[in-house]
């Protein structure tokens, strides 16, 4: 996605069409919070806590009041749309705050950017990106360990806050979807044509069972153009689920097009690795970015495992996502939200409920 006039199949020229080895992200995509900004955030948290146990949907700029930081967050949609498409916010003193207060700060910052979206059948407004595959086998990829293939999520802006890093590895790996387009247009135009028409998508079983459907109604295009504006949506994981199911057979050409898109996004010529520090918050323009993560070695204890908090945001000021590219509809998210309980996203509650669930199963 970019406000400049571009056309599918032609080279996209944009600050967002970068290549990892050629960009210095610390110059173009890093903001280190100043002491004054940190004090402002701390005061906003104290103000929020004085209101009692405020549930996440009720955290707003009114009860999490910020001045310069609020202006920075409010300017983020334009910055991500017109610039390189990502920003790392660094400097929060992680050791100063509990996991729960970090989550509150994160949600407070997000309230200045856009509207939070439900992420799965769990009803979560904050997704816990942590390996709980041993405790929750039905979870999606963000609740499993190891590396993650390059993909885009179903929102305008995705945020990731790092609560804890792994023993080693687990870097954020990002690529420009506009660069993926340019590569395919130059080297594999036939594959780009297929991706423009779209591929079938499939949700995981639990997400599908609790939503309107498991498969997309029709093939979903990876790239669209509306009035010279390119919107990218590369749900490679969902496409792979549909392909592997055999219920929506892919032609050989469609399978090859998906493979080429995945390879282009994961090419060392294109990707950029960003190492998380505890307290970092990464924001990505999901309409022009692809992201994944490198493999990692994790701790055994749940309380010590690599743990990020994920936020999906919708920006009302942006043009609406092209209808043909919307996989998770508002109705899907409404159905998922039925499962949500007050304050369930707090890390302390998330971890406790997981462990209690395992304990109860052992008793049974």
């Amino acid at each position: 996605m970019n406000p400049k006039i571009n056309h599918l199949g032609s080279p996209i020229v944009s600050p967002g069409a970068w290549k990892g080895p050629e960009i210095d992200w610390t110059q173009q995509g890093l903001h280190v919070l100043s002491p004054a900004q940190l004090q402002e955030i701390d005061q906003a948290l104290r103000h929020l806590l004085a209101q009692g146990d405020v549930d996440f949907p009720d955290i707003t700029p009114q009860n999490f009041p910020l001045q310069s930081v609020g202006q920075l967050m409010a300017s983020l949609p334009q910055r991500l749309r017109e610039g390189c498409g990502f920003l790392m916010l660094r400097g929060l003193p992680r050791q100063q705050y509990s996991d729960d207060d970090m989550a509150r700060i994160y949600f407070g910052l997000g309230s200045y950017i856009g509207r939070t979206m439900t992420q799965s059948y769990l009803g979560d407004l904050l997704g816990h990106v942590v390996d709980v595959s041993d405790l929750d086998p039905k979870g999606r990829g963000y609740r499993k360990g190891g590396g993650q293939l390059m993909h885009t999520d179903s929102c305008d802006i995705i945020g990731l806050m790092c609560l804890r890093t792994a023993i080693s590895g687990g870097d954020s790996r990002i690529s420009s979807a506009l660069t993926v387009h340019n590569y395919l247009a130059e080297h594999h135009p036939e594959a780009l044509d297929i991706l423009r028409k779209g591929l079938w998508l499939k949700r995981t079983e639990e997400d599908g069972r609790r939503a309107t459907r498991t498969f997309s109604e029709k093939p979903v295009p990876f790239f669209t153009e509306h009035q010279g504006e390119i919107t990218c949506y590369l749900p490679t994981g969902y496409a792979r689920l549909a392909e592997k199911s055999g219920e929506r057979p892919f032609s050989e050409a469609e399978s090859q097009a998906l493979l080429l898109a995945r390879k282009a996004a994961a090419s060392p010529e294109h990707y950029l690795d960003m190492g998380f520090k505890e307290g970092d918050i990464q924001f990505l323009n999901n309409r022009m970015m692809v992201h994944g993560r490198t493999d990692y070695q994790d701790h055994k204890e749940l309380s010590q495992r690599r743990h990020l908090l994920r936020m999906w945001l919708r920006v009302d000021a942006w043009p609406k996502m092209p209808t043909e590219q919307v996989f998770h509809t508002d109705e899907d998210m409404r159905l998922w939200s039925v499962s949500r309980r007050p304050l369930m996203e707090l890390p302390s509650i998330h971890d406790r409920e997981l462990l209690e669930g395992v304990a109860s199963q052992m008793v049974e």
Side-chain angles (χ1 to χ4, degrees):
M1 172 194 171
N2 197 274
K4 296 182 182 297
I5 295 177
N6 286 291
H7 299 287
L8 284 175
S10 300
I12 295 174
V13 179
S14 161
W18 46 262
K19 295 181 179 180
E22 299 173 4
I23 188 171
D24 182 350
W25 73 268
T26 62
Q27 293 297 315
Q28 299 188 44
L30 175 67
H31 178 91
V32 180
L33 293 162
S34 69
Q37 290 176 324
L38 293 175
Q39 183 179 13
E40 194 176 302
I41 291 171
D42 188 68
Q43 290 174 345
L45 174 65
R46 293 177 184 276
H47 181 86
L48 178 69
L49 293 174
Q51 315 304 308
D53 285 332
V54 180
D55 196 11
F56 285 104
D58 300 323
I59 297 177
T60 68
Q62 284 67 48
N63 55 27
F64 195 84
L66 298 167
Q67 296 179 1
S68 66
V69 180
Q71 293 171 2
L72 172 66
M73 293 295 98
S75 71
L76 198 61
Q78 181 177 1
R79 177 171 180 168
L80 295 182
R81 189 168 180 236
E82 298 179 359
C84 62
F86 65 89
L87 178 73
M88 183 75 88
L89 197 65
R90 176 163 286 173
L92 274 174
R94 176 67 183 90
Q95 71 285 352
Q96 183 175 322
Y97 300 109
S98 67
D99 289 357
D100 288 354
D101 282 349
M102 288 291 287
R104 293 183 174 101
I105 289 172
Y106 183 33
F107 213 92
L109 295 173
S111 71
Y112 286 81
I113 301 172
R115 291 187 290 126
T116 50
M117 302 165 66
T118 305
Q119 301 181 24
S120 76
Y121 75 90
L122 298 171
D124 44 352
L125 293 176
L126 283 183
H128 290 265
V129 183
V130 58
D131 182 10
V132 292
S133 55
D134 55 336
L135 306 172
D136 179 22
K138 296 180 180 179
R140 278 215 317 256
Y142 70 97
R143 295 172 67 77
K144 293 178 170 61
Q148 195 170 41
L149 299 176
M150 304 295 278
H151 64 283
T152 53
D153 285 9
S154 300
C155 57
D156 291 336
I157 293 175
I158 176 175
L160 289 167
M161 168 185 266
C162 181
L163 291 182
R164 280 183 296 280
T165 58
I167 296 174
S168 63
D171 286 350
S172 169
R173 176 164 289 176
I174 62 175
S175 289
S176 164
L178 302 178
T179 297
V180 172
H181 165 276
N182 289 350
Y183 172 84
L184 294 174
E186 179 179 358
H187 300 284
H188 303 283
E190 69 292 342
L192 180 59
D193 286 341
I194 290 172
L195 296 174
R196 290 174 62 175
K197 295 174 184 175
L199 299 176
W200 288 102
L201 305 182
K202 179 183 182 296
R203 294 188 175 102
T204 58
E205 294 302 327
E206 285 298 312
D207 275 350
R209 186 170 65 84
R210 305 194 196 196
T212 56
R213 58 184 58 83
T214 298
F215 287 91
S216 56
E217 287 188 291
K218 54 187 177 181
V220 175
F222 280 32
F223 301 97
T224 60
E225 175 188 345
H226 287 269
Q227 299 180 342
E229 186 165 327
I230 308 299
T231 303
C232 309
Y233 180 48
L234 278 65
T236 55
Y238 291 132
R240 279 288 290 144
L241 285 176
E243 180 184 30
K244 290 166 64 177
S245 74
E247 297 180 53
R248 302 291 190 277
F250 280 33
S251 68
E252 184 176 342
E254 287 173 330
S255 293
Q256 181 66 11
L258 175 59
L259 179 61
L260 288 169
R262 290 171 56 195
K263 283 187 173 181
S267 169
E269 297 180 5
H270 299 153
Y271 72 66
L272 167 68
D273 283 350
M274 302 173 70
F276 275 116
K277 295 183 179 180
E278 295 185 352
D280 282 353
I281 309 177
Q282 180 194 62
F283 294 102
L284 305 175
N285 178 342
N286 205 59
R287 299 195 191 184
M288 59 187 257
M289 297 289 296
V290 192
H291 68 276
R293 68 168 176 254
T294 64
D295 197 7
Y296 64 94
Q297 180 185 2
D298 211 355
H299 297 271
K300 183 177 180 180
E301 294 296 323
L302 178 61
S303 62
Q304 298 300 314
R305 292 179 190 178
R306 178 186 187 271
H307 196 157
L308 277 65
L309 297 177
R310 185 178 73 177
M311 186 185 297
W312 282 0
L313 293 162
R314 177 175 293 169
V315 181
D316 290 332
W318 286 4
K320 287 187 177 181
M321 189 80 173
T323 304
E324 61 269 32
Q325 284 183 303
V326 175
F327 184 35
H328 299 328
T329 65
D330 288 345
E331 178 62 11
D332 292 323
M333 293 184 185
R334 187 192 69 78
L335 292 170
W336 286 342
S337 69
V338 172
S339 301
R340 187 181 181 276
R341 304 174 310 284
L343 297 173
M344 59 171 272
E345 294 90 353
L346 285 175
S348 62
I349 293 178
H350 169 268
D351 289 4
R352 185 181 71 239
E353 290 183 345
L354 273 173
L355 295 173
E356 287 176 349
V358 172
S360 64
Q361 291 174 12
M362 292 175 66
V363 171
E364 294 173 1

PDB file of all heavy atoms in Angstrom, residues 121 203-215 336:
ATOM      1  N   TYR A 121     -10.112 -17.344  17.335  1.00  0.00           N
ATOM      2  CA  TYR A 121     -11.280 -17.900  18.015  1.00  0.00           C
ATOM      3  C   TYR A 121     -11.217 -17.703  19.528  1.00  0.00           C
ATOM      4  O   TYR A 121     -12.232 -17.804  20.224  1.00  0.00           O
ATOM      5  CB  TYR A 121     -11.417 -19.392  17.698  1.00  0.00           C
ATOM      6  CG  TYR A 121     -10.430 -20.282  18.423  1.00  0.00           C
ATOM      7  CD1 TYR A 121     -10.734 -20.830  19.664  1.00  0.00           C
ATOM      8  CD2 TYR A 121      -9.182 -20.568  17.863  1.00  0.00           C
ATOM      9  CE1 TYR A 121      -9.829 -21.648  20.334  1.00  0.00           C
ATOM     10  CE2 TYR A 121      -8.274 -21.377  18.525  1.00  0.00           C
ATOM     11  CZ  TYR A 121      -8.603 -21.920  19.756  1.00  0.00           C
ATOM     12  OH  TYR A 121      -7.708 -22.715  20.410  1.00  0.00           O
ATOM     13  N   ARG A 203      -8.608 -21.372   6.850  1.00  0.00           N
ATOM     14  CA  ARG A 203      -8.285 -21.106   8.248  1.00  0.00           C
ATOM     15  C   ARG A 203      -7.920 -22.415   8.955  1.00  0.00           C
ATOM     16  O   ARG A 203      -8.189 -23.508   8.461  1.00  0.00           O
ATOM     17  CB  ARG A 203      -9.485 -20.489   8.971  1.00  0.00           C
ATOM     18  CG  ARG A 203      -9.878 -19.109   8.486  1.00  0.00           C
ATOM     19  CD  ARG A 203     -10.934 -18.523   9.406  1.00  0.00           C
ATOM     20  NE  ARG A 203     -11.228 -17.147   9.029  1.00  0.00           N
ATOM     21  CZ  ARG A 203     -12.296 -16.779   8.336  1.00  0.00           C
ATOM     22  NH1 ARG A 203     -13.182 -17.673   7.953  1.00  0.00           N
ATOM     23  NH2 ARG A 203     -12.490 -15.500   8.030  1.00  0.00           N
ATOM     24  N   THR A 204      -7.329 -22.271  10.136  1.00  0.00           N
ATOM     25  CA  THR A 204      -7.148 -23.435  10.988  1.00  0.00           C
ATOM     26  C   THR A 204      -8.533 -23.920  11.433  1.00  0.00           C
ATOM     27  O   THR A 204      -9.516 -23.173  11.387  1.00  0.00           O
ATOM     28  CB  THR A 204      -6.299 -23.094  12.215  1.00  0.00           C
ATOM     29  OG1 THR A 204      -6.932 -22.030  12.942  1.00  0.00           O
ATOM     30  CG2 THR A 204      -4.899 -22.666  11.805  1.00  0.00           C
ATOM     31  N   GLU A 205      -8.619 -25.154  11.885  1.00  0.00           N
ATOM     32  CA  GLU A 205      -9.914 -25.763  12.169  1.00  0.00           C
ATOM     33  C   GLU A 205     -10.697 -24.995  13.232  1.00  0.00           C
ATOM     34  O   GLU A 205     -11.896 -24.739  13.068  1.00  0.00           O
ATOM     35  CB  GLU A 205      -9.718 -27.216  12.597  1.00  0.00           C
ATOM     36  CG  GLU A 205      -9.171 -28.113  11.488  1.00  0.00           C
ATOM     37  CD  GLU A 205     -10.040 -28.140  10.241  1.00  0.00           C
ATOM     38  OE1 GLU A 205     -11.284 -28.030  10.365  1.00  0.00           O
ATOM     39  OE2 GLU A 205      -9.475 -28.251   9.133  1.00  0.00           O
ATOM     40  N   GLU A 206     -10.058 -24.626  14.344  1.00  0.00           N
ATOM     41  CA  GLU A 206     -10.777 -23.931  15.410  1.00  0.00           C
ATOM     42  C   GLU A 206     -11.247 -22.554  14.973  1.00  0.00           C
ATOM     43  O   GLU A 206     -12.371 -22.144  15.257  1.00  0.00           O
ATOM     44  CB  GLU A 206      -9.901 -23.829  16.660  1.00  0.00           C
ATOM     45  CG  GLU A 206      -9.769 -25.126  17.428  1.00  0.00           C
ATOM     46  CD  GLU A 206     -11.110 -25.633  17.950  1.00  0.00           C
ATOM     47  OE1 GLU A 206     -11.875 -24.836  18.546  1.00  0.00           O
ATOM     48  OE2 GLU A 206     -11.400 -26.821  17.761  1.00  0.00           O
ATOM     49  N   ASP A 207     -10.384 -21.825  14.254  1.00  0.00           N
ATOM     50  CA  ASP A 207     -10.787 -20.510  13.756  1.00  0.00           C
ATOM     51  C   ASP A 207     -11.963 -20.639  12.797  1.00  0.00           C
ATOM     52  O   ASP A 207     -12.916 -19.850  12.840  1.00  0.00           O
ATOM     53  CB  ASP A 207      -9.616 -19.823  13.042  1.00  0.00           C
ATOM     54  CG  ASP A 207      -8.709 -19.070  13.997  1.00  0.00           C
ATOM     55  OD1 ASP A 207      -9.071 -18.923  15.171  1.00  0.00           O
ATOM     56  OD2 ASP A 207      -7.631 -18.637  13.558  1.00  0.00           O
ATOM     57  N   GLY A 208     -11.892 -21.624  11.903  1.00  0.00           N
ATOM     58  CA  GLY A 208     -12.955 -21.809  10.927  1.00  0.00           C
ATOM     59  C   GLY A 208     -14.255 -22.258  11.550  1.00  0.00           C
ATOM     60  O   GLY A 208     -15.346 -21.792  11.179  1.00  0.00           O
ATOM     61  N   ARG A 209     -14.172 -23.158  12.512  1.00  0.00           N
ATOM     62  CA  ARG A 209     -15.370 -23.701  13.150  1.00  0.00           C
ATOM     63  C   ARG A 209     -16.139 -22.621  13.895  1.00  0.00           C
ATOM     64  O   ARG A 209     -17.369 -22.692  13.990  1.00  0.00           O
ATOM     65  CB  ARG A 209     -14.957 -24.819  14.105  1.00  0.00           C
ATOM     66  CG  ARG A 209     -16.111 -25.585  14.732  1.00  0.00           C
ATOM     67  CD  ARG A 209     -15.621 -26.814  15.471  1.00  0.00           C
ATOM     68  NE  ARG A 209     -14.801 -26.462  16.619  1.00  0.00           N
ATOM     69  CZ  ARG A 209     -15.286 -26.146  17.811  1.00  0.00           C
ATOM     70  NH1 ARG A 209     -16.600 -26.098  18.003  1.00  0.00           N
ATOM     71  NH2 ARG A 209     -14.481 -25.870  18.821  1.00  0.00           N
ATOM     72  N   ARG A 210     -15.435 -21.624  14.391  1.00  0.00           N
ATOM     73  CA  ARG A 210     -16.095 -20.587  15.180  1.00  0.00           C
ATOM     74  C   ARG A 210     -16.291 -19.294  14.395  1.00  0.00           C
ATOM     75  O   ARG A 210     -16.585 -18.251  14.979  1.00  0.00           O
ATOM     76  CB  ARG A 210     -15.280 -20.314  16.441  1.00  0.00           C
ATOM     77  CG  ARG A 210     -15.026 -21.579  17.250  1.00  0.00           C
ATOM     78  CD  ARG A 210     -14.523 -21.271  18.620  1.00  0.00           C
ATOM     79  NE  ARG A 210     -13.932 -22.435  19.265  1.00  0.00           N
ATOM     80  CZ  ARG A 210     -13.689 -22.519  20.557  1.00  0.00           C
ATOM     81  NH1 ARG A 210     -13.974 -21.508  21.336  1.00  0.00           N
ATOM     82  NH2 ARG A 210     -13.140 -23.609  21.075  1.00  0.00           N
ATOM     83  N   ALA A 211     -16.120 -19.360  13.080  1.00  0.00           N
ATOM     84  CA  ALA A 211     -16.323 -18.189  12.222  1.00  0.00           C
ATOM     85  C   ALA A 211     -17.385 -18.527  11.175  1.00  0.00           C
ATOM     86  O   ALA A 211     -18.093 -19.523  11.281  1.00  0.00           O
ATOM     87  CB  ALA A 211     -15.003 -17.787  11.566  1.00  0.00           C
ATOM     88  N   THR A 212     -17.507 -17.688  10.160  1.00  0.00           N
ATOM     89  CA  THR A 212     -18.532 -17.906   9.142  1.00  0.00           C
ATOM     90  C   THR A 212     -18.189 -19.081   8.233  1.00  0.00           C
ATOM     91  O   THR A 212     -19.077 -19.731   7.692  1.00  0.00           O
ATOM     92  CB  THR A 212     -18.696 -16.647   8.266  1.00  0.00           C
ATOM     93  OG1 THR A 212     -17.421 -16.298   7.689  1.00  0.00           O
ATOM     94  CG2 THR A 212     -19.198 -15.468   9.103  1.00  0.00           C
ATOM     95  N   ARG A 213     -16.895 -19.349   8.054  1.00  0.00           N
ATOM     96  CA  ARG A 213     -16.485 -20.431   7.155  1.00  0.00           C
ATOM     97  C   ARG A 213     -15.033 -20.764   7.403  1.00  0.00           C
ATOM     98  O   ARG A 213     -14.304 -19.991   8.047  1.00  0.00           O
ATOM     99  CB  ARG A 213     -16.681 -20.024   5.689  1.00  0.00           C
ATOM    100  CG  ARG A 213     -15.910 -18.770   5.279  1.00  0.00           C
ATOM    101  CD  ARG A 213     -16.209 -18.355   3.859  1.00  0.00           C
ATOM    102  NE  ARG A 213     -17.619 -18.109   3.653  1.00  0.00           N
ATOM    103  CZ  ARG A 213     -18.232 -16.952   3.956  1.00  0.00           C
ATOM    104  NH1 ARG A 213     -17.517 -15.959   4.477  1.00  0.00           N
ATOM    105  NH2 ARG A 213     -19.505 -16.777   3.738  1.00  0.00           N
ATOM    106  N   THR A 214     -14.603 -21.897   6.889  1.00  0.00           N
ATOM    107  CA  THR A 214     -13.204 -22.303   7.008  1.00  0.00           C
ATOM    108  C   THR A 214     -12.413 -21.880   5.780  1.00  0.00           C
ATOM    109  O   THR A 214     -11.290 -21.394   5.892  1.00  0.00           O
ATOM    110  CB  THR A 214     -13.102 -23.828   7.199  1.00  0.00           C
ATOM    111  OG1 THR A 214     -13.757 -24.178   8.425  1.00  0.00           O
ATOM    112  CG2 THR A 214     -11.653 -24.279   7.283  1.00  0.00           C
ATOM    113  N   PHE A 215     -12.989 -22.051   4.577  1.00  0.00           N
ATOM    114  CA  PHE A 215     -12.326 -21.650   3.334  1.00  0.00           C
ATOM    115  C   PHE A 215     -12.827 -20.275   2.899  1.00  0.00           C
ATOM    116  O   PHE A 215     -13.955 -19.882   3.219  1.00  0.00           O
ATOM    117  CB  PHE A 215     -12.613 -22.661   2.220  1.00  0.00           C
ATOM    118  CG  PHE A 215     -11.886 -23.972   2.375  1.00  0.00           C
ATOM    119  CD1 PHE A 215     -12.477 -25.021   3.056  1.00  0.00           C
ATOM    120  CD2 PHE A 215     -10.618 -24.150   1.846  1.00  0.00           C
ATOM    121  CE1 PHE A 215     -11.816 -26.232   3.208  1.00  0.00           C
ATOM    122  CE2 PHE A 215      -9.941 -25.358   1.994  1.00  0.00           C
ATOM    123  CZ  PHE A 215     -10.549 -26.397   2.679  1.00  0.00           C
ATOM    124  N   TRP A 336     -15.763 -14.543  16.769  1.00  0.00           N
ATOM    125  CA  TRP A 336     -14.616 -14.885  17.611  1.00  0.00           C
ATOM    126  C   TRP A 336     -14.688 -14.161  18.959  1.00  0.00           C
ATOM    127  O   TRP A 336     -14.309 -14.706  19.994  1.00  0.00           O
ATOM    128  CB  TRP A 336     -13.315 -14.509  16.907  1.00  0.00           C
ATOM    129  CG  TRP A 336     -12.932 -15.418  15.777  1.00  0.00           C
ATOM    130  CD1 TRP A 336     -13.391 -16.665  15.537  1.00  0.00           C
ATOM    131  CD2 TRP A 336     -11.982 -15.130  14.754  1.00  0.00           C
ATOM    132  NE1 TRP A 336     -12.779 -17.194  14.405  1.00  0.00           N
ATOM    133  CE2 TRP A 336     -11.914 -16.270  13.910  1.00  0.00           C
ATOM    134  CE3 TRP A 336     -11.181 -14.038  14.445  1.00  0.00           C
ATOM    135  CZ2 TRP A 336     -11.074 -16.333  12.796  1.00  0.00           C
ATOM    136  CZ3 TRP A 336     -10.351 -14.089  13.347  1.00  0.00           C
ATOM    137  CH2 TRP A 336     -10.298 -15.237  12.531  1.00  0.00           C
TER     138      TRP A 336
END
